[in-house]
């Protein structure tokens, strides 16, 4: 299967029309198809588009951030959290590992803190207005590294903006 690198601009809204996120055409999101860098429903929709095309892509929870799961809500002692000054709406990483889930403080009752590890967009229908800015064949190097590399005119495929900076690739 041939894999592409796709750059796209988008505006993301929920079903009620509230703006949730956006990336303008002068700073598009770039990803390697099949790298699981974006949610499946959005990736499928973008794969069917051509460069320069604009479209609306509707993504249901099962193809986005999943459904809310009450098992992802936990009550912990305040002493287990990394700071003393805690308020509703604060976010924490639930461990020292960068892959540990991010949790949100949703309730405070004395020393008991209720944390929610559900993605903030879990259970929501998402509306993406997208413009496919660029679609090109992925290089062997990008496929080997599992992600897109920014290519600038006159450059021979630097990694994540050139020179290997930040992505962990060694050339």
């Amino acid at each position: 299967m041939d894999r592409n690198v796709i750059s796209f601009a988008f505006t993301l809204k929920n079903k009620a029309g509230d703006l949730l996120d956006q990336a303008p055409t002068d700073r598009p999101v770039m990803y390697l198809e099949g790298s699981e860098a974006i949610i499946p429903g959005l990736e499928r929709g973008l794969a069917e588009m051509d460069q320069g095309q604009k479209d609306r892509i509707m993504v249901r929870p099962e193809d986005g951030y999943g459904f809310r799961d009450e098992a992802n809500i936990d009550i912990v002692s305040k002493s287990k959290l990394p700071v003393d000054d805690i308020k509703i709406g604060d976010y924490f990483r639930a461990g020292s590992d960068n892959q540990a889930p991010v949790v949100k403080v949703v309730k405070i009752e004395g020393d008991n803190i209720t944390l929610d590890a559900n993605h903030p967009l879990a259970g929501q229908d998402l509306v993406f207005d997208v413009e496919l800015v660029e679609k090109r064949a992925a290089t062997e190097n990008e496929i080997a590294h599992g992600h897109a590399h920014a290519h600038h005119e006159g450059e021979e495929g630097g990694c994540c903006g050139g020179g290997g900076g930040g992505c962990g690739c060694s050339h």
Side-chain angles (χ1 to χ4, degrees):
M1 171 181 123
D2 291 335
R3 291 173 73 186
N4 291 307
V5 169
I6 294 178
S7 296
F8 68 100
F10 72 91
T11 300
L12 169 60
K13 295 180 180 178
N14 59 18
K15 249 175 117 170
D18 301 319
L19 179 66
L20 303 175
D21 198 5
Q22 60 186 352
T25 54
D26 62 339
R27 288 179 303 177
V29 173
M30 178 175 39
Y31 72 97
L32 171 66
E33 284 182 317
S35 65
E36 298 181 3
I38 64 172
I39 56 175
L42 179 59
E43 182 166 2
R44 276 194 303 279
L46 289 166
E48 296 173 5
M49 293 174 63
D50 295 319
Q51 186 166 311
Q53 185 178 346
K54 294 180 182 181
D55 203 354
R56 175 166 283 170
I57 300 172
M58 307 290 288
V59 178
R60 303 267 309 137
E62 59 270 22
D63 290 324
Y65 294 98
F67 292 96
R68 290 192 49 77
D69 183 352
E70 295 305 309
N72 289 333
I73 298 175
D74 199 10
I75 299 173
V76 300
S77 170
K78 185 176 183 178
S79 63
K80 296 211 183 264
L81 298 179
V83 295
D84 293 327
D85 184 26
I86 299 166
K87 52 192 176 306
I88 293 175
D90 286 349
Y91 286 89
F92 298 97
R93 188 164 298 281
S96 57
D97 178 359
N98 279 343
Q99 301 303 315
V102 173
V103 296
K104 180 180 181 181
V105 176
V106 294
K107 190 175 184 183
I108 300 172
E109 288 182 328
D111 192 45
N112 292 327
I113 311 297
T114 304
L115 302 174
D116 185 347
N118 286 292
H119 189 282
L121 298 178
Q124 293 193 42
D125 290 327
L126 304 174
V127 181
F128 288 89
D129 286 310
V130 298
E131 179 179 350
L132 202 146
V133 176
E134 180 184 26
K135 187 174 197 175
R136 64 171 173 80
T139 66
E140 288 180 27
N141 196 22
E142 289 169 320
I143 293 169
H145 288 126
H147 62 261
H149 294 167
H151 289 240
H152 303 285
E153 200 164 322
E155 241 182 55
E156 185 55 41
C159 185
C160 302
C167 77
C169 293
S170 57
H171 298 282

